[in-house]
Amino acid sequence: MKKLLLVFIVLTGFIVAQNNPEITAEEIKSHITYLASDELEGRMTGTEALFKAAEFLEKEFESYELKPLFNGSYFQEFPFMEKLELGKNNFFSDEFRDVKSPDGYNVKVKEDFIPLSFSDNLSFEGEVVFAGYGISAKELIYDDYTNLDVKDKIVVVFRNHPDMKSPHSKFEQYSSLRYKTTTARDKGAKGIIFVNTSDKTDDPLIELRYDNAAKITGISAISIKRDLLGYIPFKDLQNKIDSTLSPDSYLVEPNNLTISISTEVIEVQGKSVNVGGIVKAANNKFPGEYLVIGAHFDHLGWGGQNSLYMGGSSIHNGADDNASGTTGLLELAEKFSSIKDKIDRDIVFIAFSGEELGLLGSSYVVNNFPLPIENDITMINMDMIGRLNDKNDLIVYGTGTSSKWKNILDDKNEYDFNLTFNDEGFGPSDHSSFYGKKVPVLFFFTGTHSDYHKPSDDTDKINTAGQEKVVKYVYDVAATIVNSDTRPDYISVERKDTGKMTGTRVYVGTVPDFAGEVDGYKLGGVTDGSPAFKSGLRAGDIITQFGDKKISNIYDFTYALGNYVPGDKVKVLVKRGDKELTIEIELGSR
């Protein structure tokens, strides 16, 4: 009888727990342990392991009795650029090599040369010009292109810059491969060839790796072994330029030497998924209005892109980034679902993927939302909330995006958090996508640490008791917002970053849409009151030309800004749907 009674108590206790679920450190540890397990291989966007994690989230949402968010499904699949592959049309040869070496055509891609990830797919031949480091910088009174005609030619340039011995050299901002390629294209070159400086004795080729931006159209870019152009005295030229910080560019002899280049880089499309559910308010006091709570559940897989680990391929489990935030999402979904009769608005819960690749999932969802996005009263985001320190430091972003936030945050701080407020609504996590749609946001974050984007970000480092406090705090804040008699107002907060490349503090006020795979710079939004806003630019616009500079991607746009100062008026060519517009922007300053 005692045994039966014990079973009854255990069972009924379980039922009570299910009906009145609490946010607990034990559940937090259980969820993170699975999400950050080797079984899920770091949850890289688009992988089988990520979809396995998505199925786990789907089952959890279903067990909490959340309604599917996406037309009867918990899943919202979206396309993304998964990887780059070399096509069949990659070729390099030159006349000098053909004359001197019968096997000149045996130059091998990936061994002797390789196209860069952002190279256009082109086939051409042209004369060869050595253009030093490929830098054109008025600010530094340095220009490798002075008195150099490169129209329809191929420029050969060094990587890096001539002032590498200086730890804080101003040349550094002009050293990127994209900047040099864009500069060469704007000067009229058909192609650009990158070679290593002499300190790279192993002479490695540049790795073919996607850098989250579109290709640079109208020019081929390749990396080669120095021996392939052995008739150019690279070491002597480098020593001379580095020692004098003066250009030494010239048309390569013999006269009329031409190089033939063909490049083909194929963008392979993949698919990934967001997972979403909704808790329907029994009261439905404010029909149509809803609150969004979100967190990204993807991470870095086996490392590679965005990893800060130097030890080679290894599973990056991402316990804090962001199994912690995903677990917070699950805990809140379960809790709010159990009190649906006590909330006045619906609550949408979304786990995003593609965050580590540039907010891909959240960008897709705000542009393909199953509910009117204008009815979203707030977006609350949790990203890296598992490492609360001994000082109880908790950072909250977006605190200036509504006049209500700071009072609510202070009032609900019964957990003795040492709060740090950051007013900006745009930032490096998924709340930024919602803020671009004029939704007030809050982003909770316990701070970075030495395990960030490394394999050592594991479950044993999580402060589960601390995370329990954080999630309970988020619950209190969210409950206050969802039951508020008035909808939170939206405030546009000026961004602190300038988008500048040079020392000139030029301000435009555009927000990139990283999910927009287009030829140009696609806007996810513009800051109210900014030069972009005043000129009439708006979310969805694609900038294709800025002044006299062609714009193929966000990098082109950033480099173009470096040619202007605050107060300049610049004509901008914009695609808006099927229309092409010319808009004049008067650039601002900070």
Side-chain angles (χ1 to χ4, degrees), residues 32 43 293-300 318-329 332 350-360 362 379-388 393-397 427-432 442-449 452-453 457 462 467 470-471 474:
I32 293 179
R43 310 181 306 281
I293 301 177
H296 78 89
F297 71 103
D298 65 297
H299 194 53
L300 305 184
D320 190 29
D321 186 15
N322 186 34
S324 66
T326 306
T327 293
L329 185 74
L332 293 174
I350 310 177
F352 312 103
S353 66
E355 191 271 353
E356 300 287 6
L357 300 181
L359 314 185
L360 301 186
S362 58
M379 192 276 179
I380 295 176
N381 184 34
M382 295 170 289
D383 193 347
M384 296 177 64
I385 58 170
R387 301 284 285 266
L388 188 69
D393 291 331
L394 180 62
I395 305 164
V396 188
Y397 287 79
S429 193
D430 293 299
H431 60 285
S432 187
L442 288 171
F443 165 37
F444 294 86
F445 172 56
T446 54
T448 56
H449 43 74
Y452 175 70
H453 280 198
D457 181 9
I462 297 296
Q467 181 168 333
V470 173
V471 178
V474 176

Side-chain angles (χ1 to χ4, degrees), residues 5-22:
L5 180 60
L6 178 61
V7 170
F8 174 76
I9 291 172
V10 171
L11 287 176
T12 54
F14 175 75
I15 292 169
V16 170
Q18 285 294 94
N19 290 335
N20 296 282
E22 293 300 325

Side-chain angles (χ1 to χ4, degrees), residues 269-524:
Q269 293 293 315
K271 68 176 180 179
S272 197
V273 65
N274 297 318
V275 186
I278 184 168
V279 172
K280 303 293 290 184
N283 295 336
N284 201 22
K285 189 175 178 180
F286 301 94
E289 292 188 356
Y290 60 91
L291 168 74
V292 172
I293 301 177
H296 78 89
F297 71 103
D298 65 297
H299 194 53
L300 305 184
W302 284 78
Q305 184 176 332
N306 297 330
S307 173
L308 298 179
Y309 180 61
M310 305 303 290
S313 180
S314 182
I315 295 177
H316 289 53
N317 284 318
D320 190 29
D321 186 15
N322 186 34
S324 66
T326 306
T327 293
L329 185 74
L330 293 176
E331 289 289 279
L332 293 174
E334 183 180 26
K335 180 66 175 176
F336 276 112
S337 184
S338 73
I339 60 164
K340 58 174 65 77
D341 59 332
K342 296 179 182 179
I343 58 175
D344 294 338
R345 293 175 176 87
D346 297 343
I347 306 180
V348 170
F349 295 88
I350 310 177
F352 312 103
S353 66
E355 191 271 353
E356 300 287 6
L357 300 181
L359 314 185
L360 301 186
S362 58
S363 293
Y364 186 85
V365 85
V366 297
N367 290 313
N368 299 274
F369 215 78
L371 303 171
I373 194 69
E374 62 272 15
N375 290 347
D376 180 6
I377 67 166
T378 301
M379 192 276 179
I380 295 176
N381 184 34
M382 295 170 289
D383 193 347
M384 296 177 64
I385 58 170
R387 301 284 285 266
L388 188 69
N389 62 24
D390 294 340
K391 297 179 181 179
N392 258 10
D393 291 331
L394 180 62
I395 305 164
V396 188
Y397 287 79
T399 53
T401 65
S402 176
S403 62
K404 293 177 175 284
W405 288 167
K406 291 176 183 177
N407 287 337
I408 293 175
L409 290 164
D410 285 332
D411 182 60
K412 295 301 174 182
N413 185 16
E414 300 175 358
Y415 306 90
D416 296 322
F417 289 124
N418 178 26
L419 296 173
T420 298
F421 292 162
N422 185 310
D423 285 349
E424 290 191 51
F426 290 114
S429 193
D430 293 299
H431 60 285
S432 187
S433 299
F434 287 81
Y435 190 59
K437 296 294 183 181
K438 299 188 182 301
V439 176
V441 297
L442 288 171
F443 165 37
F444 294 86
F445 172 56
T446 54
T448 56
H449 43 74
S450 60
D451 301 305
Y452 175 70
H453 280 198
K454 296 178 182 177
S456 52
D457 181 9
D458 273 322
T459 304
D460 61 348
K461 306 285 182 65
I462 297 296
N463 177 358
T464 54
Q467 181 168 333
E468 178 186 317
K469 291 201 303 181
V470 173
V471 178
K472 285 180 175 178
Y473 179 51
V474 176
Y475 168 78
D476 292 343
V477 170
T480 301
I481 296 169
V482 82
N483 287 332
S484 174
D485 289 336
T486 58
R487 175 175 177 162
D489 56 337
Y490 164 85
I491 297 175
S492 177
V493 181
E494 185 175 314
R495 301 181 73 191
K496 291 182 181 179
D497 59 306
T498 62
K500 64 188 176 69
M501 195 200 86
T502 67
T504 305
R505 296 179 64 81
V506 173
Y507 173 58
V508 182
T510 60
V511 181
D513 180 355
F514 288 106
E517 294 177 15
V518 297
D519 183 12
Y521 168 43
K522 187 174 182 181
L523 306 186

Side-chain angles (χ1 to χ4, degrees), residues 33 61 94 112 172 179 193 204 279 369 494-495 517:
T33 297
F61 281 175
D94 64 72
D112 302 302
E172 183 65 35
Y179 162 75
I193 297 174
V279 172
F369 215 78
E494 185 175 314
R495 301 181 73 191
E517 294 177 15

Side-chain angles (χ1 to χ4, degrees), residues 523-535:
L523 306 186
V526 297
T527 302
D528 288 354
S530 67
F533 178 85
K534 293 175 182 177
S535 73

